[in-house]
Amino acid sequence: MDYKTLLGQILDKAAAAEGCAEAIETPSDAALGDYAFPCFRLAKTMRMAPPKIAQELAQKIEQPAFIAKIEAVGPYINFFLDKAVFAENTLSTALEAGENYGRSDMGAGKTVVMDYSSINIAKPFHIGHLSTTALGNSLYRIYSFLGFTPVGINHLGDWGTQFGKLITAYKLWGEDACVDEGGIDYMMSLYVRFHEEAEKNPALDDEARAWFKKIEDGDEEALAIFQRFKDMTLREIGKLYDLLDVHFDSYAGESFYNDKMQPVIDELREKNLLVESEGAQVVELTEYDLPPCLILKRDGTTLYATRDLAAAFYRKNTYNFYKSLYIVAYQQNLHFKQLFAVIDKMGYSWAQDMEHVNFGMVSLADGSMSTRKGHVVKLKDVLEQAIAKTRALIEEKSPDLADKDSVANDIGVGAVVFSALSNGRIKDIVFDWDRVLNFDGETGPYVQYTHARCRSLLRKAGNGYDYACADYTALDNDDALAVLRQIESFPDAIVRAMTKNEPYLVTRHIVHLAQYMNKFYYDHRVIDDDREKTAARLMLAEVTANTIKTGLYLLGIKAPDRM
Ligand code: ARG
């Protein structure tokens, strides 16, 4: 149990109150203690002025072992931790839990569906897909660590008239060998050629429509060609997923819902929610302050929203989710508001359990990127560059390192992923090489480096230190306390990251942990002649390394032992 909760219970008892823990603050000024309780909320029940209450309670409270001093200052009761006891409690708890420190079963029996990455077939995987992939992967790990049952879904963009165009182009100019070799790039070039030629020869558009109709009608040849494009895309992007260590439980995409939309459309009709508007069928959403949601086009064909509607029902029926998350850029805010509103209007209260986990744009510091102008920055290129740059740095700084390639992979990929998870989701990100790979900034490599440095200290110390004899007065200083507090509050940071669907709360937490640990390391000798004190300091290093490693794991990043 954490200290706030414990202090809260003690206060509840002394004041015959409830919920005191919620009001406990952590003062930024160390002179005001490590925890402070404002007494205002007790004024009514205790019928006294808050400063008087503070005085009285400060006297009355049973002082727990982890508290060294209790002080009443004005309306506040300030608690000062006994640093050595705090160190012992924190370190032994964390060490015993090992890799499971921060793990919980709070989500037992609850399924959380997550729709992330959700790529489009025959389109390049560009840096704009980094956020959804990194966020989704991290949330998957965080929910799972907290005992939830996550279901990761890659809602493939595998439906639409563009595939008719692609087949037309393929039939006219495509070569099988090129598809196998050129992959997505080749498919893109076919697509581009189609648009160029269709400007001169509009009959191509009719042909494309005809091919798309064939896909819709289940024509064997059309489906076979389309399946080929799909397999090719997934094979190519699968390599990236492997590199990123990202996985999915389902690849059910838009086409999966072809035969699952009709029942939903029927239900909308039965509930009198479908309204005709300029020949199309829409659901009015005025009471939600939203424009109408288009369900069927004038020619009776379905839309992105129709498929998402069917997908929402399918997910509810299949997984009976506790939450259903859509990790998709904020450009689709309106789409998801409409989707949730339609389901709410149909009378399903679980509409409230769906959440659009939105995020900002990624752009490059050296000029913006635009898909239309063909300036796509492929994630593959970014990762490969990051790995190559790291490899060069390693060659320069640690020429003797074993496994250079695998370490360069872990650091290069980690740096890119870390940069995507460093700020609140909704902020637009400017991707800047120098910053991302900087070993001193608030970066992935910096945190990984701190982890490796702790491991190296432990290797240097060897096995001769008995933690059972540790003398925790070695940690009775503010530098150690800063590290310890960061360790102690780590489980809480994970829960907050889950509640807000904000992995950056874990990122920030381990960045600070690394900074505090480095400060401690610069200002204090870790290994000296005093074996008991050294044991305590080594424990601090070990638990710090474990905590950073778990934190990185939750972000989807590896923590090499040497670098
Ligand atoms: N493929 C879509 C895109 O690239 C994202 C799909 C998100 N998921 C969903 N269920 N709509 O924009």
Side-chain angles (χ1 to χ4, degrees):
M1 193 178 295
D2 68 89
Y3 291 92
K4 262 190 194 175
T5 315
L6 286 172
L7 284 177
Q9 287 176 349
I10 293 167
L11 282 161
D12 283 349
K13 192 168 154 218
E18 260 173 41
C20 286
E22 285 154 41
I24 297 177
E25 300 165 3
T26 41
S28 43
D29 179 359
L32 299 175
D34 299 295
Y35 298 100
F37 177 74
C39 295
F40 307 102
R41 62 183 351 244
L42 301 175
K44 236 189 184 158
T45 46
M46 293 183 70
R47 295 163 177 279
M48 265 189 281
K52 190 99 205 314
I53 299 175
Q55 291 280 343
E56 200 158 291
L57 286 181
Q59 303 255 313
K60 189 171 163 193
I61 283 171
E62 294 168 39
Q63 189 164 316
F66 61 92
I67 292 296
K69 186 170 72 168
I70 301 178
E71 229 173 46
V73 177
Y76 283 88
I77 307 176
N78 297 337
F79 298 89
F80 295 79
L81 286 170
D82 182 314
K83 295 189 182 76
V85 175
F86 180 65
E88 177 169 8
N89 287 348
T90 305
L91 293 181
S92 45
T93 307
L95 201 63
E96 196 182 325
E99 283 184 359
N100 292 319
Y101 180 55
R103 197 183 272 281
S104 106
D105 58 4
M106 65 185 291
K110 294 180 175 145
T111 298
V112 179
V113 171
M114 316 183 183
D115 176 326
Y116 58 100
S117 204
S118 298
I119 51 159
N120 300 321
I121 295 304
K123 291 271 176 66
F125 194 99
H126 59 76
I127 194 170
H129 296 114
L130 173 61
S131 299
T132 171
T133 308
L135 283 166
N137 185 43
S138 174
L139 289 173
Y140 191 99
R141 290 170 185 228
I142 289 172
Y143 274 95
S144 172
F145 202 64
L146 296 178
F148 293 88
T149 307
V151 179
I153 300 179
N154 198 325
H155 185 78
L156 298 178
D158 57 1
W159 198 252
T161 46
Q162 74 270 26
F163 296 110
K165 297 178 184 173
L166 197 56
I167 295 183
T168 307
Y170 171 74
K171 292 291 282 183
L172 286 172
W173 315 297
E175 278 170 53
D176 272 357
C178 296
V179 176
D180 289 331
E181 255 170 56
I184 295 173
D185 283 344
Y186 183 67
M187 291 187 265
M188 274 308 281
S189 70
L190 283 177
Y191 193 60
V192 169
R193 177 149 179 207
F194 177 90
H195 279 275
E196 283 166 7
E197 309 250 352
E199 256 175 41
K200 292 174 268 167
N201 175 11
L204 284 178
D205 279 318
D206 297 331
E207 206 169 313
R209 258 189 294 277
W211 272 112
F212 182 57
K213 180 94 180 42
K214 281 191 183 177
I215 305 181
E216 281 193 296
D217 295 343
D219 174 83
E220 224 169 274
E221 184 188 6
L223 283 184
I225 300 175
F226 182 45
Q227 190 60 41
R228 187 139 185 244
F229 294 157
K230 214 166 143 171
D231 292 344
M232 176 63 62
T233 308
L234 288 178
R235 211 174 316 141
E236 195 170 318
I237 292 177
K239 287 187 205 141
L240 268 181
Y241 286 144
D242 287 346
L243 191 60
L244 290 165
D245 205 2
V246 170
H247 308 274
F248 299 91
D249 300 299
S250 158
Y251 279 89
E254 293 190 41
S255 71
F256 178 76
Y257 298 101
N258 279 347
D259 59 353
K260 298 176 182 64
M261 288 176 282
Q262 198 53 49
V264 187
I265 296 169
D266 292 343
E267 184 176 339
L268 283 170
R269 205 164 267 137
E270 274 157 32
K271 292 187 168 164
N272 282 325
L273 297 178
L274 273 191
V275 180
E276 188 172 319
S277 164
E278 296 170 36
Q281 300 288 317
V282 307
V283 176
E284 294 282 1
L285 298 171
T286 18
E287 64 272 45
Y288 298 88
D289 270 331
L290 294 170
C293 181
L294 197 52
I295 302 290
L296 291 172
K297 282 198 270 193
R298 227 198 303 212
D299 59 6
T301 51
T302 58
L303 295 107
Y304 181 57
T306 325
R307 287 164 195 279
D308 255 331
L309 198 54
F313 280 93
Y314 178 83
R315 290 171 190 181
K316 184 64 196 172
N317 295 334
T318 308
Y319 305 111
N320 191 23
F321 57 72
Y322 162 75
K323 280 194 212 177
S324 177
L325 310 179
Y326 296 86
I327 300 142
V328 184
Y330 65 54
Q331 280 92 334
Q332 296 193 29
N333 278 0
L334 176 61
H335 166 74
F336 286 106
K337 278 189 191 148
Q338 291 179 310
L339 176 68
F340 304 162
V342 170
I343 294 172
D344 185 67
K345 193 163 175 169
M346 291 172 82
Y348 294 103
S349 59
W350 51 266
Q352 283 160 22
D353 305 330
M354 302 200 288
E355 193 177 330
H356 179 200
V357 178
N358 55 3
F359 55 82
M361 301 261 290
V362 183
S363 59
L364 288 187
D366 49 13
S368 80
M369 44 163 224
S370 136
T371 321
R372 204 166 299 158
K373 290 193 203 120
H375 293 165
V376 279
V377 178
K378 287 190 225 142
L379 187 60
K380 174 168 170 273
D381 295 341
V382 172
L383 292 174
E384 278 171 5
Q385 259 197 70
I387 294 169
K389 284 181 195 245
T390 311
R391 186 73 167 71
L393 272 176
I394 293 177
E395 211 59 71
E396 183 191 315
K397 294 192 177 173
S398 335
D400 302 328
L401 188 74
D403 303 331
K404 283 193 195 126
D405 286 329
S406 116
V407 174
N409 256 309
D410 294 349
I411 299 176
V413 173
V416 174
V417 171
F418 198 94
S419 77
L421 301 176
S422 287
N423 290 299
R425 281 187 271 114
I426 210 65
K427 263 183 103 167
D428 289 336
I429 301 174
V430 178
F431 189 88
D432 175 352
W433 278 115
D434 293 335
R435 220 177 38 225
V436 168
L437 287 181
N438 191 339
F439 278 53
D440 296 319
E442 299 187 352
T443 62
Y446 171 77
V447 175
Q448 286 171 319
Y449 182 65
T450 310
H451 167 265
R453 167 183 270 168
C454 290
R455 295 281 181 226
S456 135
L457 252 174
L458 293 160
R459 280 194 300 271
K460 206 161 92 193
N463 303 325
Y465 294 89
D466 181 4
Y467 287 164
C469 308
D471 175 359
Y472 295 95
T473 60
L475 304 177
D476 187 358
N477 55 67
D478 288 342
D479 291 333
L481 183 64
V483 180
L484 288 162
R485 292 190 69 141
Q486 209 60 14
I487 292 168
E488 191 257 337
S489 52
F490 177 65
D492 193 44
I494 305 173
V495 174
R496 277 187 299 121
M498 180 277 292
T499 315
K500 299 191 162 155
N501 294 314
E502 282 282 23
Y504 94 101
L505 293 171
V506 172
T507 317
R508 306 301 304 162
H509 202 87
I510 57 174
V511 164
H512 290 141
L513 173 57
Q515 288 169 335
Y516 297 147
M517 186 60 198
N518 284 319
K519 176 147 192 350
F520 177 81
Y521 180 82
Y522 281 117
D523 293 343
H524 304 266
R525 258 196 101 77
V526 174
I527 303 173
D528 66 14
D529 295 339
D530 186 326
R531 296 192 69 79
E532 282 75 33
K533 287 195 167 147
T534 299
R537 289 185 291 250
L538 287 172
M539 254 175 114
L540 186 72
E542 182 159 349
V543 170
T544 298
N546 292 349
T547 307
I548 289 180
K549 186 171 183 171
T550 302
L552 286 173
Y553 167 79
L554 293 174
L555 301 175
I557 299 173
K558 306 233 166 67
D561 281 345
R562 296 167 205 258
M563 58 189 271

